[in-house]
Protein backbone atom coordinates (compact mmCIF):
# COMPACT_ATOMS: atom_id res chain seq x y z
CA UNK A 1 0.00 0.00 0.00
CA UNK A 2 2.65 2.53 1.08
CA UNK A 3 6.36 2.39 0.32
CA UNK A 4 8.70 4.93 1.93
CA UNK A 5 12.11 4.95 0.29
CA UNK A 6 15.20 6.92 1.38
CA UNK A 7 12.95 9.71 2.63
CA UNK A 8 14.62 12.76 4.12
CA UNK A 9 13.40 16.18 5.16
CA UNK A 10 15.55 18.80 6.87
CA UNK A 11 14.65 22.12 8.45
CA UNK A 12 17.92 23.98 8.56
CA UNK A 13 20.40 21.83 10.47
CA UNK A 14 17.64 19.69 11.98
CA UNK A 15 16.83 16.39 10.32
CA UNK A 16 13.05 16.09 10.71
CA UNK A 17 12.57 12.82 8.81
CA UNK A 18 15.16 10.22 7.85
CA UNK A 19 13.59 6.88 6.85
CA UNK A 20 15.57 4.52 4.66
CA UNK A 21 12.85 1.98 3.87
CA UNK A 22 9.47 1.32 5.41
CA UNK A 23 6.42 -0.54 4.11
CA UNK A 24 2.83 -0.24 5.27
CA UNK A 25 0.76 -3.11 3.94
CA UNK A 26 -2.91 -2.96 2.84
CA UNK A 27 -5.28 -3.25 5.79
CA UNK A 28 -2.69 -2.25 8.40
CA UNK A 29 -3.88 -0.24 11.35
CA UNK A 30 -0.70 1.56 12.28
CA UNK A 31 -0.05 3.82 15.23
CA UNK A 32 2.78 6.32 14.92
CA UNK A 33 4.16 7.39 18.29
CA UNK A 34 7.04 9.54 19.49
CA UNK A 35 7.88 12.56 21.57
CA UNK A 36 7.23 16.12 20.43
CA UNK A 37 9.53 16.93 17.53
CA UNK A 38 10.00 13.27 16.61
CA UNK A 39 8.75 13.97 13.08
CA UNK A 40 5.26 12.46 13.11
CA UNK A 41 3.38 15.35 11.53
CA UNK A 42 6.23 16.06 9.11
CA UNK A 43 6.09 12.44 7.93
CA UNK A 44 2.33 12.70 7.39
CA UNK A 45 2.76 15.90 5.42
CA UNK A 46 5.38 14.22 3.22
CA UNK A 47 3.08 11.25 2.69
CA UNK A 48 0.28 13.61 1.61
CA UNK A 49 2.56 15.70 -0.63
CA UNK A 50 2.04 18.77 1.54
CA UNK A 51 5.82 19.08 1.95
CA UNK A 52 8.53 18.52 -0.62
CA UNK A 53 11.09 15.93 0.42
CA UNK A 54 14.79 16.78 0.24
CA UNK A 55 15.49 13.21 -0.82
CA UNK A 56 13.59 10.01 -1.52
CA UNK A 57 9.91 9.46 -2.13
CA UNK A 58 6.61 8.02 -0.90
CA UNK A 59 4.53 5.71 -3.09
CA UNK A 60 0.88 4.81 -2.46
CA UNK A 61 -0.32 1.82 -4.46
CA UNK A 62 2.71 2.25 -6.69
CA UNK A 63 1.96 5.95 -7.29
CA UNK A 64 4.68 8.46 -6.42
CA UNK A 65 2.68 11.04 -4.42
CA UNK A 66 4.83 13.92 -5.68
CA UNK A 67 4.38 13.03 -9.36
CA UNK A 68 0.77 11.90 -9.71
CA UNK A 69 -2.42 12.79 -7.82
CA UNK A 70 -4.44 9.63 -8.53
CA UNK A 71 -3.86 8.45 -4.93
CA UNK A 72 -6.04 11.30 -3.65
CA UNK A 73 -9.20 9.58 -4.90
CA UNK A 74 -8.87 6.79 -2.35
CA UNK A 75 -7.17 8.70 0.49
CA UNK A 76 -8.75 10.56 3.38
CA UNK A 77 -6.77 12.67 5.82
CA UNK A 78 -7.12 15.19 8.61
CA UNK A 79 -4.00 16.81 10.01
CA UNK A 80 -5.32 20.02 11.57
CA UNK A 81 -8.15 22.52 11.23
CA UNK A 82 -6.35 24.11 8.28
CA UNK A 83 -7.99 21.28 6.30
CA UNK A 84 -11.44 22.71 7.06
CA UNK A 85 -13.32 25.39 5.12
CA UNK A 86 -14.31 27.33 8.18
CA UNK A 87 -16.71 29.80 6.54
CA UNK A 88 -19.11 26.92 5.79
CA UNK A 89 -21.50 25.21 8.18
CA UNK A 90 -20.71 21.55 8.90
CA UNK A 91 -23.63 20.50 6.69
CA UNK A 92 -22.34 22.60 3.78
CA UNK A 93 -18.84 21.26 4.29
CA UNK A 94 -19.92 17.61 4.38
CA UNK A 95 -22.01 18.05 1.22
CA UNK A 96 -19.10 19.80 -0.47
CA UNK A 97 -16.77 16.91 0.41
CA UNK A 98 -19.38 14.45 -0.80
CA UNK A 99 -19.77 16.27 -4.11
CA UNK A 100 -15.99 16.10 -4.65
CA UNK A 101 -16.26 12.32 -4.52
CA UNK A 102 -19.46 11.99 -6.53
CA UNK A 103 -21.78 11.45 -3.56
CA UNK A 104 -25.37 12.68 -3.64
CA UNK A 105 -26.87 14.56 -0.71
CA UNK A 106 -28.87 11.56 0.50
CA UNK A 107 -25.73 9.38 0.32
CA UNK A 108 -23.88 11.87 2.50
CA UNK A 109 -26.78 11.90 4.98
CA UNK A 110 -26.69 8.10 5.10
CA UNK A 111 -22.94 8.02 5.69
CA UNK A 112 -23.23 10.55 8.52
CA UNK A 113 -25.62 8.35 10.52
CA UNK A 114 -22.92 6.11 12.07
CA UNK A 115 -21.30 9.27 13.45
CA UNK A 116 -24.41 10.50 15.32
CA UNK A 117 -23.13 9.35 18.70
CA UNK A 118 -19.71 10.86 17.96
CA UNK A 119 -21.29 14.20 17.02
CA UNK A 120 -23.38 14.08 20.24
CA UNK A 121 -25.96 16.55 18.93
CA UNK A 122 -23.38 19.36 18.84
CA UNK A 123 -22.43 19.44 15.15
CA UNK A 124 -25.46 19.33 12.85
CA UNK A 125 -28.30 21.85 12.88
CA UNK A 126 -26.43 24.45 14.92
CA UNK A 127 -26.74 27.16 12.25
CA UNK A 128 -23.20 28.42 12.66
CA UNK A 129 -19.97 28.37 10.72
CA UNK A 130 -17.23 25.84 11.44
CA UNK A 131 -14.95 28.65 12.66
CA UNK A 132 -17.34 29.25 15.57
CA UNK A 133 -17.14 25.69 16.88
CA UNK A 134 -14.93 24.53 19.75
CA UNK A 135 -11.57 22.87 19.04
CA UNK A 136 -13.07 19.49 19.95
CA UNK A 137 -16.00 19.85 17.57
CA UNK A 138 -13.71 21.07 14.78
CA UNK A 139 -11.71 17.91 15.36
CA UNK A 140 -14.85 15.82 14.99
CA UNK A 141 -15.84 17.60 11.77
CA UNK A 142 -12.38 17.02 10.31
CA UNK A 143 -12.29 13.33 11.21
CA UNK A 144 -15.77 12.70 9.80
CA UNK A 145 -14.99 14.56 6.57
CA UNK A 146 -11.86 12.43 6.08
CA UNK A 147 -13.89 9.21 6.41
CA UNK A 148 -16.99 10.29 4.48
CA UNK A 149 -15.98 8.89 1.08
CA UNK A 150 -14.86 5.53 2.52
CA UNK A 151 -11.16 5.95 1.68
CA UNK A 152 -8.96 2.87 1.38
CA UNK A 153 -6.24 4.89 3.12
CA UNK A 154 -7.07 7.02 6.15
CA UNK A 155 -4.45 9.25 7.82
CA UNK A 156 -5.27 11.10 11.05
CA UNK A 157 -2.83 13.22 13.04
CA UNK A 158 -3.59 13.19 16.78
CA UNK A 159 -7.27 12.25 16.35
CA UNK A 160 -7.83 12.10 20.14
CA UNK A 161 -6.72 15.69 20.70
CA UNK A 162 -9.35 18.09 22.09
CA UNK A 163 -11.90 15.29 22.52
CA UNK A 164 -13.57 14.49 25.84
CA UNK A 165 -13.15 10.93 27.19
CA UNK A 166 -16.54 9.78 25.85
CA UNK A 167 -15.76 11.02 22.34
CA UNK A 168 -12.31 9.41 22.51
CA UNK A 169 -13.92 6.07 23.33
CA UNK A 170 -16.40 6.43 20.47
CA UNK A 171 -13.80 7.34 17.84
CA UNK A 172 -11.60 4.43 18.93
CA UNK A 173 -14.52 2.10 18.25
CA UNK A 174 -15.36 3.80 14.94
CA UNK A 175 -11.77 3.63 13.66
CA UNK A 176 -11.35 0.00 14.60
CA UNK A 177 -14.65 -0.95 13.00
CA UNK A 178 -13.84 1.07 9.88
CA UNK A 179 -10.52 -0.74 9.49
CA UNK A 180 -12.20 -4.12 9.83
CA UNK A 181 -15.31 -3.50 7.72
CA UNK A 182 -13.60 -1.72 4.82
CA UNK A 183 -10.23 -3.52 5.01
CA UNK A 184 -8.84 0.02 4.93
CA UNK A 185 -5.32 1.04 5.82
CA UNK A 186 -5.58 3.36 8.83
CA UNK A 187 -2.63 5.36 10.14
CA UNK A 188 -2.88 7.52 13.23
CA UNK A 189 -0.40 9.43 15.33
CA UNK A 190 -0.99 10.04 19.00
CA UNK A 191 0.67 11.06 22.25
CA UNK A 192 -1.80 8.84 24.06
CA UNK A 193 -0.14 5.44 24.34
CA UNK A 194 -3.20 3.77 25.88
CA UNK A 195 -5.47 4.66 22.97
CA UNK A 196 -2.86 3.74 20.39
CA UNK A 197 -2.06 0.39 21.97
CA UNK A 198 -5.78 -0.37 22.36
CA UNK A 199 -6.61 -0.13 18.65
CA UNK A 200 -3.38 -0.51 16.63
CA UNK A 201 -1.97 -4.02 15.95
CA UNK A 202 1.17 -2.38 14.58
CA UNK A 203 3.06 0.55 16.11
CA UNK A 204 5.99 2.52 14.72
CA UNK A 205 8.15 4.41 17.21
CA UNK A 206 9.71 7.55 15.76
CA UNK A 207 12.76 9.28 17.26
CA UNK A 208 14.44 12.29 15.62
CA UNK A 209 12.79 11.44 12.31
CA UNK A 210 13.90 7.79 12.34
CA UNK A 211 11.64 4.77 12.86
CA UNK A 212 13.62 3.02 15.59
CA UNK A 213 11.11 0.27 16.37
CA UNK A 214 8.37 -1.47 14.39
CA UNK A 215 6.25 -3.27 16.97
CA UNK A 216 3.61 -5.92 16.47
CA UNK A 217 1.03 -5.29 19.14
CA UNK A 218 -1.09 -8.31 20.05
CA UNK A 219 -3.29 -8.01 23.13
CA UNK A 220 -1.51 -4.78 24.11
CA UNK A 221 1.87 -6.57 24.05
CA UNK A 222 3.71 -3.38 22.99
CA UNK A 223 2.50 -1.35 25.98
CA UNK A 224 5.32 -2.23 28.40
CA UNK A 225 8.05 -1.66 25.80
CA UNK A 226 6.63 1.74 24.86
CA UNK A 227 6.18 2.79 28.48
CA UNK A 228 9.77 1.78 29.24
CA UNK A 229 11.00 3.84 26.28
CA UNK A 230 9.08 6.98 27.22
CA UNK A 231 9.90 6.68 30.93
CA UNK A 232 13.58 6.41 30.01
CA UNK A 233 13.26 9.49 27.80
CA UNK A 234 11.82 11.45 30.71
CA UNK A 235 14.57 10.24 33.05
CA UNK A 236 17.27 11.24 30.55
CA UNK A 237 15.71 14.67 30.13
CA UNK A 238 15.57 15.22 33.91
CA UNK A 239 19.20 14.08 34.22
CA UNK A 240 20.29 16.53 31.51
CA UNK A 241 18.44 19.38 33.23
CA UNK A 242 20.07 18.51 36.56
CA UNK A 243 23.51 18.42 34.94
CA UNK A 244 22.90 21.83 33.34
CA UNK A 245 21.73 23.26 36.67
CA UNK A 246 24.81 21.86 38.45
CA UNK A 247 27.08 23.31 35.78
CA UNK A 248 25.41 26.71 36.06
CA UNK A 249 25.81 26.73 39.85
CA UNK A 250 29.47 25.75 39.57
CA UNK A 251 30.23 28.31 36.85
CA UNK A 252 27.71 31.19 37.12
CA UNK A 253 29.98 33.44 35.07
CA UNK A 254 29.49 31.11 32.07
CA UNK A 255 25.72 31.55 32.25
CA UNK A 256 26.14 35.35 32.43
CA UNK A 257 28.40 35.26 29.39
CA UNK A 258 25.88 33.17 27.42
CA UNK A 259 23.00 35.48 28.35
CA UNK A 260 24.74 38.63 27.15
CA UNK A 261 24.62 37.97 23.37
CA UNK A 262 20.92 37.07 23.65
CA UNK A 263 20.17 40.34 25.45
CA UNK A 264 22.05 42.46 22.95
CA UNK A 265 20.39 40.53 20.10
CA UNK A 266 17.00 41.30 21.56
CA UNK A 267 17.82 45.00 21.77
CA UNK A 268 18.97 45.01 18.17
CA UNK A 269 15.75 43.33 17.07
CA UNK A 270 13.59 45.76 18.97
Amino acid sequence: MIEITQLQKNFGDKKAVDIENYTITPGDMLGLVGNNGAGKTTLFRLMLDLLQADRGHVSIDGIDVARNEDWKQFTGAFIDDGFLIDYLTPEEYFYFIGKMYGLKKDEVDSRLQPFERFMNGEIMGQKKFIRNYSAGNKQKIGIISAMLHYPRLLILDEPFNFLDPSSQAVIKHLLKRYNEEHQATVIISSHNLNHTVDICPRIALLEHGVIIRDLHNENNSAEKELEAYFNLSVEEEIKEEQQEATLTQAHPEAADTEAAPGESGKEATE
Side-chain angles (χ1 to χ4, degrees):
M1 181 64 170
I2 300 177
E3 292 283 347
I4 300 172
T5 307
Q6 298 179 340
L7 189 66
Q8 287 187 0
K9 181 63 183 179
N10 302 320
F11 295 110
D13 294 332
K14 181 184 177 183
K15 190 165 286 186
V17 169
D18 185 10
I19 300 172
E20 190 64 24
N21 288 289
Y22 193 71
T23 301
I24 302 168
T25 55
D28 269 355
M29 187 153 188
L30 174 71
L32 190 64
V33 299
N35 288 314
N36 287 334
K40 301 184 297 296
T41 301
T42 301
L43 177 56
F44 279 170
R45 290 188 175 277
L46 289 166
M47 291 169 66
L48 296 167
D49 194 34
L50 299 173
L51 279 177
Q52 184 177 356
D54 296 323
R55 177 174 175 261
H57 65 274
V58 177
S59 295
I60 300 177
D61 270 10
I63 303 167
D64 186 332
V65 298
R67 296 176 179 272
N68 188 310
E69 296 190 351
D70 288 350
W71 57 274
K72 292 183 178 181
Q73 289 300 315
F74 54 83
T75 302
F78 183 66
I79 304 298
D80 55 41
D81 60 14
F83 276 47
L84 303 174
I85 304 176
D86 66 0
Y87 56 81
L88 299 179
T89 65
E91 291 91 338
E92 290 170 336
Y93 184 59
F94 292 145
Y95 293 140
F96 170 76
I97 295 294
K99 190 174 182 180
M100 284 177 57
Y101 292 99
L103 300 176
K104 297 178 181 178
K105 187 176 178 182
D106 59 341
E107 290 178 296
V108 173
D109 290 337
S110 176
R111 294 189 182 200
L112 287 172
Q113 288 178 3
F115 294 100
E116 284 185 359
R117 187 179 169 205
F118 185 51
M119 291 189 283
N120 196 32
E122 299 174 343
I123 305 296
M124 307 293 281
Q126 302 302 303
K127 297 182 180 179
K128 61 182 181 180
F129 298 126
I130 292 172
R131 63 171 171 258
N132 296 322
Y133 281 79
S134 67
N137 283 330
K138 286 179 183 177
Q139 184 85 340
K140 292 180 181 182
I141 294 166
I143 292 170
I144 294 167
S145 67
M147 300 175 69
L148 202 57
H149 62 291
Y150 295 163
R152 288 192 286 117
L153 171 62
L154 177 64
I155 297 175
L156 300 175
D157 192 21
E158 298 287 354
F160 308 112
N161 272 7
F162 311 118
L163 301 182
D164 58 68
S166 295
S167 297
Q168 290 177 347
V170 172
I171 194 58
K172 280 167 62 176
H173 171 72
L174 288 172
L175 289 174
K176 195 169 184 179
R177 190 175 71 182
Y178 182 80
N179 168 253
E180 293 170 352
E181 290 183 353
H182 295 269
Q183 286 79 53
T185 304
V186 178
I187 309 172
I188 67 169
S189 72
S190 180
H191 286 102
N192 191 308
L193 292 184
N194 290 333
H195 291 331
T196 308
V197 168
D198 281 348
I199 64 172
C200 294
R202 185 180 180 189
I203 297 175
L205 176 57
L206 204 62
E207 182 181 276
H208 303 306
V210 179
I211 295 176
I212 61 170
R213 296 181 199 173
D214 188 10
L215 306 174
H216 292 281
N217 177 44
E218 294 182 9
N219 299 318
N220 294 21
S221 60
E223 187 171 12
K224 287 185 178 180
E225 186 171 350
L226 289 170
E227 286 180 349
Y229 167 80
F230 285 106
N231 286 338
L232 182 62
S233 296
V234 170
E235 289 171 5
E236 288 176 347
E237 188 174 330
I238 292 172
K239 187 176 180 180
E240 287 176 3
E241 289 177 354
Q242 289 174 339
Q243 288 174 342
E244 288 176 5
T246 302
L247 184 63
T248 301
Q249 290 172 357
H251 303 283
E253 70 282 356
D256 293 339
T257 305
E258 289 175 0
E263 293 170 358
S264 61
K266 183 178 179 182
E267 290 170 2
T269 304
E270 293 172 352

